[in-house]
Amino acid sequence: QVQVVESGGGLVQAGGSLRLSCTASGLTFGDFKMAWFRQAPGKEREGVSYISSSGLFTDYKDSVKGRFTISRDNAKKTLYLQMNSLQPGDTAMYYCAAAARFTSMTWGDFSKYQYWGQGTQVTVSS
């Protein structure tokens, strides 16, 4: 049984930082591409950042480039998102998602991900 669990969300003031973590069990973590998505109330789910199964390739939504850093530790089966210089516009529920390594996809297409966590809330106050 696959389980994906996010943690690390919380309430932070604008300009602050948070580090999200996502642990996966029941799958061979190194065989999966991983991504962070977010969804704010009344808005569509959007891709925030992506990392390849090996960790060699990463990509980001334009509005978070230079502020967020995605990484993974395949030995620990854990995905991370370091978020710095947080802004009120970053407020959302953040989700971790996994797609099998050979899935043909553009990383921002959430329909291509096979496994999802329940999300962790990030709230940035002004």
Side-chain angles (χ1 to χ4, degrees):
Q1 181 180 358
V2 175
Q3 281 193 313
V4 177
V5 180
E6 303 95 335
S7 62
L11 173 63
V12 65
Q13 289 188 331
S17 297
L18 284 173
R19 188 193 197 202
L20 305 184
S21 298
C22 167
T23 58
S25 59
L27 53 76
T28 304
F29 189 72
D31 285 346
F32 283 79
K33 314 174 190 182
M34 301 296 295
W36 288 98
F37 285 78
R38 68 186 181 188
Q39 188 166 20
K43 294 189 177 181
E44 292 187 352
R45 188 169 299 192
E46 62 179 6
V48 175
S49 185
Y50 164 87
I51 188 165
S52 63
S53 57
S54 66
L56 293 178
F57 177 76
T58 60
D59 203 4
Y60 299 89
K61 174 181 173 62
D62 283 347
S63 64
V64 308
K65 285 180 180 177
R67 300 189 296 123
F68 291 11
T69 303
I70 192 170
S71 62
R72 65 189 295 163
D73 185 331
N74 285 351
K76 294 182 178 179
K77 297 187 175 183
T78 303
L79 175 73
Y80 303 99
L81 186 68
Q82 178 66 43
M83 305 187 294
N84 299 329
S85 302
L86 282 161
Q87 304 166 359
D90 296 317
T91 295
M93 185 72 79
Y94 283 70
Y95 298 91
C96 171
R101 184 171 54 181
F102 297 111
T103 303
S104 178
M105 57 190 281
T106 54
W107 72 264
D109 182 355
F110 65 82
S111 72
K112 298 295 186 180
Y113 291 83
Q114 290 89 30
Y115 301 108
W116 290 83
Q118 293 300 306
T120 185
Q121 177 67 38
V122 172
T123 303
V124 184
S125 63
S126 58

